[in-house]
Amino acid sequence: DSGVTQTPKHLITATGQRVTLRCSPRSGDLSVYWYQQSLDQGLQFLIQYYNGEERAKGNILERFSAQQFPDLHSELNLSSLELGDSALYFCASSASGTGNQPQHFGDGTRLSIL
Amino acid sequence: GENVEQHPSTLSVQEGDSAVIKCTYSDSASNYFPWYKQELGKRPQLIIDIRSNVGEKKDQRIAVTLNKTAKHFSLHITETQPEDSAVYFCAASNGQGAQKLVFGQGTRLTINP
């Protein structure tokens, strides 16, 4: 158990819909990262938050957005869903936002778009 | 931006033999190189990491070496066991202002009994 909690474990929805993925970091960790894992693209960095503020952005689509709340949990919102958005979405956390602290991953949310 | 290439994509070794997975990176500013193990349907699990001020790091049967000049790093697993079968990912980060990990494409390692 990494200490990073992600809900839900599975999501099945239709094209055009909107979903919210939730992540609670390890106790004491201030940084949260979101990654997308698909068969053809591997593990891709989406976005990082540190103590409530956006710290870094990857190739995150405009249809996707995220935030980190005062209690440090984070949500990833995916809207106008397309078939290609089907993937595993992982959240990771680290103690700080810089200095190359180890990132520990949650168990992921498997999103299936029908 | 950073690009990480990982080879081989699949690797099959006999139990007890050694396995080596290699990665190259493009950004000379990268200074942190973790390795993750991912079993089928599970989360990536950090197994070892190395920073650019160190050339080699070892943890029991696992070791990582780093060649900053050539911009490549490798994972070495000795005395392989069936439970080592998994997909292994290398990654790189420069940690400047942020800590975005750029991952290699993964190596599927199979240990044959």
Side-chain angles (χ1 to χ4, degrees):
Chain A
D1 183 11
S2 67
V4 179
T5 304
Q6 287 188 250
T7 57
K9 291 191 187 308
H10 304 277
L11 259 180
I12 302 175
T13 188
T15 55
Q17 296 298 304
R18 172 190 169 95
V19 296
T20 297
L21 314 184
R22 183 187 167 102
C23 169
S24 293
R26 293 190 319 164
S27 177
D29 283 359
L30 298 178
S31 234
V32 168
Y33 312 78
W34 287 98
Y35 293 88
Q36 179 191 58
Q37 185 174 37
S38 58
L39 282 175
D40 56 344
Q41 294 291 322
L43 271 162
Q44 299 283 322
F45 169 78
L46 295 178
I47 199 163
Q48 176 197 1
Y49 278 82
Y50 171 69
N51 205 20
E53 299 290 327
E54 181 183 305
R55 180 61 66 93
K57 237 176 181 178
N59 294 327
I60 187 168
L61 299 171
E62 285 192 12
R63 301 183 285 108
F64 296 2
S65 66
Q67 55 184 325
Q68 186 180 27
F69 295 86
D71 67 352
L72 301 177
H73 91 271
S74 177
E75 292 181 356
L76 179 67
N77 301 297
L78 316 177
S79 62
S80 303
L81 287 167
E82 301 175 0
L83 292 177
D85 297 328
S86 294
L88 260 173
Y89 291 84
F90 286 104
C91 169
S93 73
S94 69
S96 71
T98 59
N100 289 321
Q101 298 296 312
Q103 294 184 28
H104 298 275
F105 282 70
D107 290 336
T109 292
R110 183 175 296 278
L111 177 63
S112 299
I113 312 299
L114 303 179
Chain B
E2 174 67 280
N3 184 52
V4 177
E5 297 284 336
Q6 183 171 346
H7 299 280
S9 57
T10 61
L11 179 61
S12 184
V13 301
Q14 288 299 119
E15 182 179 352
D17 288 349
S18 296
V20 180
I21 303 170
K22 299 182 179 182
C23 289
T24 60
Y25 60 98
S26 61
D27 185 357
S28 56
S30 288
N31 55 13
Y32 176 65
F33 308 93
W35 285 88
Y36 286 84
K37 173 184 179 182
Q38 187 176 29
E39 297 176 24
L40 190 62
K42 300 210 173 163
R43 62 181 172 87
Q45 184 177 3
L46 179 67
I47 57 172
I48 196 166
D49 58 10
I50 191 168
R51 289 172 172 76
S52 59
N53 58 347
V54 175
E56 183 174 356
K57 183 176 179 180
K58 192 172 181 180
D59 182 4
Q60 298 183 334
R61 297 186 296 110
I62 293 174
V64 56
T65 58
L66 172 65
N67 183 326
K68 285 173 55 181
T69 304
K71 289 191 281 189
H72 69 70
F73 56 113
S74 300
L75 177 71
H76 305 253
I77 306 174
T78 59
E79 301 172 11
T80 53
Q81 301 168 2
E83 53 265 36
D84 294 329
S85 294
V87 178
Y88 290 80
F89 291 94
C90 63
S93 167
N94 65 27
Q96 295 176 4
Q99 199 176 330
K100 156 187 163 180
L101 288 177
V102 177
F103 284 87
Q105 287 301 99
T107 295
R108 181 173 300 281
L109 175 63
T110 302
I111 308 302
N112 301 307

